[in-house]
Amino acid sequence: MTDALVVGAGFSGLAAALSLVRAGRRVRVLEARDRVGGRALTRWLDDGTQLDLGAQWIGPGQDRVNALVRRYALGTFPSPAYGGSTVIWDGARRDAAPEPTARVVELLDGYAARLDPAAPWTAPEAVRWDRITLGGWLAATAPDPVTARYLGRLLAGGLLATSADEVSVLQMAFYLRSGGGSGALLRMAGGAQQDRIVGGPAALAEAMAAALGPDVVRLAAPVVAIEQDRAAVVVYTDAERFDAAAVVVAVPPTLAGRIRYAPALPALRDGLTQRMPMGSAFKVHAVYPEPFWRADGRSGVATCSDGPVVETVDNSTPTSSRGVLTAFSYGVEANALRAMTPPARRAALLDALTVIVGPAARHAEEVIEYDWSADPWTRGCFCGALTPGSWRQYGPWLRPAVGRIHWAGTETATRWTGYLDGAIEAGERAAAEVLGRLPTGAP
Amino acid sequence: MTDALVVGAGFSGLAAALSLVRAGRRVRVLEARDRVGGRALTRWLDDGTQLDLGAQWIGPGQDRVNALVRRYALGTFPSPAYGGSTVIWDGARRDAAPEPTARVVELLDGYAARLDPAAPWTAPEAVRWDRITLGGWLAATAPDPVTARYLGRLLAGGLLATSADEVSVLQMAFYLRSGGGSGALLRMAGGAQQDRIVGGPAALAEAMAAALGPDVVRLAAPVVAIEQDRAAVVVYTDAERFDAAAVVVAVPPTLAGRIRYAPALPALRDGLTQRMPMGSAFKVHAVYPEPFWRADGRSGVATCSDGPVVETVDNSTPTSSRGVLTAFSYGVEANALRAMTPPARRAALLDALTVIVGPAARHAEEVIEYDWSADPWTRGCFCGALTPGSWRQYGPWLRPAVGRIHWAGTETATRWTGYLDGAIEAGERAAAEVLGRLPTGAP
């Protein structure tokens, strides 16, 4: 019998396990996939160009993930910063969004400043903010429909990987607050997209798993059931059972809700996981012989009010001469791409990229995509978000343990929720809960 | 090997199985519970008073369920109709809601008339209606906050068992349309609450199961996994495997999403089940020596703009002298009751009933509740509803089969969705799909 079990070897589960192991506890991590790292996955082109197919960035203020990168002596490199950004505004190329967009975002940042990220439902305006979708609010608040569309895609899309009509103003404000405001969240240099990790976040996950020691992480072991009583918790995979004093469930809420629990979880905890769908993103890397857009003085960073692509970044690496332009679609646009055949999708994406960086975009050497919504062990990205009207009723059930079951995952973080850093915060918090319940004394 | 498997022995699964058996096919129904009937459950007091703890009513226009009641020669009895209705309006008792409430409901019925219940996302206004919550719309449309509150509780509560802030105007209009409009849905006599079944809907489910013949329904057999390939589908319970040419999954969408599928379901089908939470109702029967409210000329039928109880009905039966007053709470109010201790909840409910029918309400002989949200094989009631902003993206995945997997359940009905009748329509439609794919010829 181990002291504690952890379900999921993403960053949250690995961080929880590290905290427990460091406190001298016997731990086992059960992971459904044949790899660690959760929503992070890295692939390499033949010349060594690093493609991060899922999570990829870290930035200032993300103290926990930066500390781990230092601890495991992983290298980082900055996101490219050449030339000016591009805005596709109602079909036309511009250097920046019209000034009124900033004023609308300021309003949202103001809402964010007035709520407690640990309990957003306690804000005096919480009921009102949770009853209006971001899309509805933008339609009423933005000076024109293009601004509303642009900001819905930038904020609900770029931050939550969903459509503005699917999230409430409260959910959006909570997310902005958790990441320190729109400036910190949206900026490349100085913001959440500042740096990448050599080897990708996957390298960090592997270093964390290695630090746990041998035989701690069990791969290809999807958890199907969790039973608990006054004495212990029992976790079942298809083939095995594991006993412990406590378990940390560190998978997305919608997947946590699919495990069978005995006794059944309380109605409101189950109601929470029924109302926290994952975002829906399509992230595609278009690979070129060189980052040709730089010759035109363009950074490759673009945001678009229309079209299948919501935003792009230059994702080229310093050690390769190749150019990688990475395109993101979210929500309605991502789902439209998903419904296409692969050739039609490739054509639609490359068409959109020509609008952004010119006709050379059509001549990609490779177009590489990975669909996290189709992956049964993640079922979407970047993260889960509560549906409109749900925060007050179900939000209070996000973090509190249910008996011997403790909840982690980036969705349960109060700072940098949705990010690697939030995943680590959540794992460490859940581990502290578990340590608080374990008998003290020499392990 | 059977021809077809059915997951779930609620009304939809039983109707699917009946259609298949009647077509000469070999069928097996796998049910997680130790009983049939799904969201219907009947209990009797010692004097034989029938208490329907879940689904209970049938009405005119519900042709499928009425036909089955006749086929199995089950008796019915009308809902009591003595005296006048009560409205608790901003804390005060009235005989009817102020006239402007009807005008606001007419607007919604008008929206409902403009959509196709088989494809509500195709309505010209669908995007706009799905981006605004019913709560937000009522706040902007109703003449005053009491009217907004009252109608939110009456419509989102009384029809979808949720809060007005959790559902979009499109979802509400779809539901109104599916049931033939607010009049048919809300009326007792002449509407969806007109009649009850002797023995309850559970008696009908048992008759349907008996008509399937012996050994067709396997109880206490929760399905955990479904695999399919070009040749067959394999359905796994904890203990057994079953092979067939097709399977009908006839459980609520949120529970269908918890089964493990191989190959994994398409991203958008999984996205649908992430976004279709069950309603959250609290239905409580307060039992009295007699229906004392009738002496005051009151019907026991009440709707309330405030307080923990949203509505009440006289649920007394013709064969008993006892009075049964049944109280319903939904969404925020239901969840607040759920968070109380049982004695505190009983006190809060009886307090609310005294406001509606007078101080005698405090002296209940028994208070009997059943929480469908706590039941792991239903996880809420009356039914699932798509979250705001989801219809256009995920609605098209509600009914289409995924390979050999066909979807039933009242949520997939186009007429009387959420009702017994819709469950039967959905089961029969799924069975027809299965029959269409099975080889023809003598079975």
Side-chain angles (χ1 to χ4, degrees), chain A residues 43-362:
Chain A
R43 290 283 175 266
W44 284 268
L45 299 178
D46 51 12
D47 72 343
T49 300
Q50 174 183 325
L51 299 180
D52 295 332
L53 303 183
Q56 71 167 76
W57 284 295
I58 59 176
Q62 298 180 348
D63 298 338
R64 288 179 177 84
V65 68
N66 277 295
L68 284 176
V69 166
R70 282 194 301 275
R71 182 191 300 165
Y72 297 113
L74 297 171
T76 65
F77 56 95
S79 296
Y82 305 86
S85 298
T86 300
V87 169
I88 305 297
W89 189 265
D90 209 14
R93 222 180 298 183
R94 307 171 47 123
D95 287 341
E99 198 279 335
T101 59
R103 287 203 299 271
V104 178
V105 175
E106 266 169 35
L107 276 178
L108 283 173
D109 276 323
Y111 295 177
R114 274 143 64 190
L115 59 76
D116 172 4
W121 60 88
T122 60
E125 302 94 334
V127 168
R128 198 161 53 78
W129 291 344
D130 209 24
R131 111 172 5 137
I132 186 163
T133 66
L134 180 66
W137 183 86
L138 286 169
T141 307
D144 58 81
V146 182
T147 304
R149 217 157 61 221
Y150 176 81
L151 286 176
R153 291 158 61 105
L154 183 75
L155 297 172
L159 297 178
L160 287 163
T162 188
S163 290
D165 295 358
E166 287 187 79
V167 291
S168 72
V169 168
L170 181 63
Q171 168 67 37
M172 195 74 244
F174 158 69
Y175 200 88
L176 287 170
R177 174 58 182 266
S178 161
S182 66
L185 284 162
L186 296 174
R187 274 197 299 269
M188 304 291 296
Q193 284 70 238
Q194 178 173 290
D195 296 310
R196 295 178 65 191
I197 301 169
V198 176
L204 177 57
E206 283 152 22
M208 292 167 79
L212 287 173
D215 300 324
V216 170
V217 179
R218 177 77 58 108
L219 297 177
V223 166
V224 295
I226 298 178
E227 294 174 5
Q228 60 171 328
D229 59 21
R230 284 170 192 278
V233 65
V234 186
V235 176
Y236 295 87
T237 65
D238 280 332
E240 290 182 280
R241 66 172 274 172
F242 300 88
D243 295 61
V247 61
V248 174
V249 175
V251 298
T254 194
L255 298 187
R258 299 177 190 192
I259 296 169
R260 201 180 348 160
Y261 298 87
L265 292 183
L268 289 166
R269 168 68 207 187
D270 194 272
L272 171 82
T273 56
Q274 290 186 42
R275 288 163 177 84
M276 208 165 189
M278 298 296 282
S280 170
F282 224 91
K283 180 179 183 180
V284 182
H285 297 84
V287 181
Y288 300 94
E290 59 192 15
F292 61 86
W293 47 89
R294 296 181 190 168
D296 302 326
R298 311 314 303 174
S299 68
V301 173
T303 47
C304 312
S305 70
D306 299 274
V309 168
V310 173
E311 51 190 358
T312 62
V313 295
D314 182 341
N315 233 342
S316 314
T317 56
T319 53
S320 164
S321 60
R322 274 197 168 126
V324 180
L325 192 64
T326 299
F328 295 86
S329 287
Y330 308 112
V332 172
E333 283 75 24
N335 288 334
L337 289 173
R338 212 163 257 134
M340 295 178 186
T341 62
R345 182 161 61 237
R346 181 190 161 112
L349 285 162
L350 293 182
D351 276 353
L353 294 184
T354 65
V355 176
I356 296 167
V357 292
R362 210 176 298 276

Side-chain angles (χ1 to χ4, degrees), chain A residues 365-387:
Chain A
E365 295 178 327
E366 293 191 68
V367 176
I368 295 164
E369 59 184 38
Y370 185 86
D371 187 356
W372 292 96
S373 293
D375 183 328
W377 304 122
T378 295
R379 278 302 184 192
C381 69
F382 313 127
C383 63
L386 271 168
T387 53

Side-chain angles (χ1 to χ4, degrees), chain A residues 3-4 6 10-29 64 68 71-72 208-209 211-213 216 248 408 423-436 438 443:
Chain A
D3 293 313
V6 176
F11 288 85
S12 208
L14 292 169
L18 276 172
S19 293
L20 291 162
V21 165
R22 220 166 274 135
R25 299 300 178 169
R26 289 157 303 175
V27 177
R28 192 178 281 280
V29 181
R64 288 179 177 84
L68 284 176
R71 182 191 300 165
Y72 297 113
M208 292 167 79
L212 287 173
V216 170
V248 174
I424 297 163
E425 176 206 295
E428 293 179 348
R429 188 256 316 141
E433 291 171 13
V434 170
L435 289 171
L438 291 176

Side-chain angles (χ1 to χ4, degrees), chain A residues 131 133 165-166 224 238 254 257-258 260 264-265 268 270 274-275 277-278 331-332 335 379 388-389 393-394, chain B residues 131 133 136 165-166 224 238 254 257-258 260 265 268 270 274-275 277-278 331-332 335 379 387-389 393-394:
Chain A
R131 111 172 5 137
T133 66
D165 295 358
E166 287 187 79
V224 295
D238 280 332
T254 194
R258 299 177 190 192
R260 201 180 348 160
L265 292 183
L268 289 166
D270 194 272
Q274 290 186 42
R275 288 163 177 84
M278 298 296 282
V332 172
N335 288 334
R379 278 302 184 192
Q393 298 179 69
Y394 300 97
Chain B
R131 112 175 1 142
T133 66
D165 295 358
E166 288 186 79
V224 296
D238 280 333
T254 192
R258 298 177 189 193
R260 202 181 345 161
L265 292 184
L268 289 166
D270 194 272
Q274 290 187 42
R275 288 164 176 82
M278 298 296 282
V332 172
N335 288 335
R379 279 301 184 192
T387 54
Q393 297 179 70
Y394 300 97

